Amino acid sequence: MKTLKSLGYLLTLPLILLAWWWIATSGAANFFVPTPAKLAETFIDTWMGEKLLTDVLPSVIRLVVGVLAAIVLGIGLGLAVGLNRTMRAVTEPVFEFFRALPPPVLVPVLMLLVGINDGMKIAVIISGCIWPVLLNTIEAVRSIDPVQNETSRSYGISGLSRIRYQVLPSATPTIMAGVRQCLSIGLILMVISEMFASSSGLGFTIVQFQRSFAVPEMWSGIVVLGLIGVALSFIFQWCERRVLRWYHGLKEVENAV
Amino acid sequence: MQSNNPTSHAGGRTLPEGEALLSVRNLKKVYRTDAGDIEAVRNLTFDLGRGELVCLVGPSGSGKTTLLKCIAGLLGSTEGEVRLDGEVITGPPKKMAVVFQEYGRSLFPWLRVAENVELPLKNAGVPKAERKVLVEQALEAVGLAHVPKSYPWQLSGGMQQRVAIARAVAYQPEVLLMDEPFAAVDAQTRADLEDLIRSVWKKLGVTVLFVTHDIDESIYLGERVIILSSSPTVVQEDIVIDLPAERDQLETRSLPRFTELRHHVYAEIQKAKQGHRPEEAITMVVK
Ligand SMILES: Nc1ncnc2c1ncn2[C@@H]1O[C@H](COP(=O)(O)OP(=O)(O)O)[C@@H](O)[C@H]1O
Ligand SMILES: [Mg+2]
């Protein structure tokens, strides 16, 4: 019953939008906006074949690799910097500078430095995705409760064990908020990295369709992007619920008081 | 027979070389802050013998927490030293466990009750089977055997405090330091927890230093009470609590002797507030 209800909530708005779209396009044919039926047909024809393997899959793999690398690097670097006052003071202005750069401008630079290949595309994704994770990790580590620190110290929990048993768990809620931002940035950069000098991939394909006026195909590509975004978001929420069950419970108790 | 005057020392009582488990000598702590220096503790000297249960009572702001943190090796002293078993303390010693004033914040909210109690043991490399036994025993001892799978934040303040105590007990320390552990719990829970401390102390033979600002609590719990002066802090007096070993919330507290001791401690604290200081005692210990 409960799942049925939540499924209802989940589908209501999409169904309304779909209906609206269907009604709006059923009358006069607009060259730039396909009907839902046409789009569904194009979607299957275009993406449920060879393209899935040659364009979608490589893009998704680059996205996943880039995002995961950004998360791992961001957390690792964030711990190193956050736990050390001197490191924080030294790196802060530099990080603010790099964070302020819009990642797409790095594409030409990385093309020159890394070359035009998968490495470049992954580097673009990492260079944009790392900031929210890195800065959130630094902030989380910096603002750890001093009583927790003293507890660890007094029980001889130090070094790597302290990171594992105290610092990381207590920083997880803030880190997760960074990871969420990192996912949406990742998707954008995946597309952008493929729009410059590329011969395959989702972003490349969509731009190709656009340039050749294959309008329904272009739209279907956008749908693919949307679906990837939704899938990522669901995976994230699933992980988050598992990792942060304690945190949501704690917040509930605190809010009830 | 001078029943009115308890056995006491002006200044802290010291033991002959080698007999003390914990020695505090001429301890001074000054916090250096941007706004200037704050002298939290001026000069403290006293000894704890093995297996003693000593209460440390003093007004708030008298440096009780500061003293405890120096003893626990969490803070360095400005002058003087603390020795455990003859060794000068420079960092948190293995044989010590601390129950913090902010007990709620000292429990890890991402760990369940049993995991919180287990963590210091796990970190120390105690084998799993042994850990399990220790954790069960400790939770049993504090009356929390029924909630090992709860999270700390699901429990009441008094129960959280018990978890913190269980964690300290399971660690099997030689010295147990407690910083106003019951300041924030209700009266009934407080009475229960006081009895719990005495029973844990008797069962485990651990040395306990219990900090409180509550005079009644210090007398009810302690075998000995160290009275701190108000700031600048020195030991005002160190008295022996000659109440029967079996203590009972109603009976003990209504003993005439309890009342006498209470008056005595109260008068000492009043004296301290008026600026009377046992200077001779300090100089005696220093030289
Ligand atoms: N970290 C600190 N920095 C500066 N001053 C402090 C610090 N901790 C405590 N103090 C000061 O030291 C004095 C003693 O504090 P504290 O040890 O907490 O006393 P108590 O526990 O007896 O209430 C107080 O005046 C307090 O303001
Ligand atoms: Mg205090």
Side-chain angles (χ1 to χ4, degrees), chain A residues 145-158 161-162 164-167 169-171 245-250 253, chain B residues 69 73-75 91-93 96-98 100 102 105-111 119-120 122-123 151 153-154 164 167-168 171:
Chain A
D145 190 331
V147 179
Q148 283 178 8
N149 282 336
E150 282 184 337
T151 304
S152 286
R153 277 186 66 203
S154 74
Y155 283 111
I157 301 170
S158 58
S161 333
R162 183 166 90 88
R164 176 171 160 209
Y165 294 132
Q166 184 216 332
V167 177
S170 80
R245 184 171 294 161
W246 64 271
Y247 182 71
H248 296 308
L250 174 67
V253 170
Chain B
K69 284 186 181 168
L74 294 168
L75 273 181
M96 227 180 241
V98 187
F100 292 91
E102 307 90 344
R105 282 161 59 200
S106 98
L107 296 172
F108 293 166
W110 53 89
L111 296 180
L119 181 60
K122 195 167 160 183
N123 181 64
Y151 284 102
W153 37 267
Q154 295 175 315
R167 179 173 61 185
Y171 193 57

Side-chain angles (χ1 to χ4, degrees), chain A:
Chain A
M1 197 57 221
K2 211 178 147 203
T3 45
L4 215 66
K5 204 169 153 188
S6 59
L7 200 70
Y9 284 138
L10 199 71
L11 293 180
T12 306
L13 191 57
L15 287 178
I16 291 174
L17 289 174
L18 204 64
W20 180 48
W21 173 24
W22 184 75
I23 292 165
T25 54
S26 62
N30 181 334
F31 177 73
F32 294 111
V33 186
T35 62
K38 172 74 179 146
L39 184 66
E41 194 193 314
T42 319
F43 179 87
I44 291 170
D45 288 347
T46 313
W47 300 106
M48 291 299 128
E50 200 195 345
K51 276 211 171 344
L52 191 66
L53 292 180
T54 56
D55 292 294
V56 181
L57 196 63
S59 290
V60 170
I61 289 176
R62 285 192 294 265
L63 173 64
V64 169
V65 170
V67 163
L68 286 181
I71 292 173
V72 171
L73 282 174
I75 293 177
L77 217 63
L79 285 172
V81 172
L83 287 171
N84 186 317
R85 193 187 302 244
T86 322
M87 281 276 272
R88 274 208 310 268
V90 169
T91 53
E92 215 155 341
V94 184
F95 284 172
E96 284 304 326
F97 174 79
F98 278 110
R99 178 183 146 89
L101 293 178
V105 307
L106 291 176
V107 175
V109 180
L110 287 169
M111 258 160 59
L112 292 175
L113 289 177
V114 186
I116 299 169
N117 53 26
D118 281 350
M120 180 276 279
K121 291 176 187 121
I122 291 172
V124 169
I125 294 175
I126 294 176
S127 67
C129 286
I130 194 169
W131 302 107
V133 181
L134 174 62
L135 296 175
N136 277 30
T137 307
I138 293 174
E139 178 52 28
V141 172
R142 196 185 59 76
S143 57
I144 281 186
D145 190 331
V147 179
Q148 283 178 8
N149 282 336
E150 282 184 337
T151 304
S152 286
R153 277 186 66 203
S154 74
Y155 283 111
I157 301 170
S158 58
L160 283 180
S161 333
R162 183 166 90 88
I163 290 176
R164 176 171 160 209
Y165 294 132
Q166 184 216 332
V167 177
L168 264 183
S170 80
T172 312
T174 316
I175 294 178
M176 283 311 245
V179 169
R180 180 190 281 277
Q181 293 174 32
C182 152
L183 290 181
S184 40
I185 298 175
L187 194 60
I188 296 171
L189 291 179
M190 175 193 88
V191 175
I192 290 178
S193 70
E194 292 165 357
M195 285 183 168
F196 296 83
S198 184
S199 54
S200 72
L202 202 43
F204 165 77
T205 313
I206 292 173
V207 172
Q208 278 306 104
F209 285 145
Q210 193 190 351
R211 286 183 184 150
S212 55
F213 294 98
V215 174
E217 284 79 1
M218 179 196 80
W219 279 105
S220 70
I222 292 171
V223 171
V224 173
L225 279 179
L227 289 177
I228 294 173
V230 169
L232 282 180
S233 163
F234 274 120
I235 293 170
F236 172 79
Q237 280 176 26
W238 186 85
C239 295
E240 205 239 16
R241 260 204 301 280
R242 253 140 208 85
V243 177
L244 290 184
R245 184 171 294 161
W246 64 271
Y247 182 71
H248 296 308
L250 174 67
K251 283 287 154 249
E252 234 169 81
V253 170
E254 278 178 4
N255 292 339
V257 172

Side-chain angles (χ1 to χ4, degrees), chain B residues 64-65 101 179-180:
Chain B
K64 303 184 295 297
T65 300
Q101 197 167 356
D179 192 1
E180 304 201 32

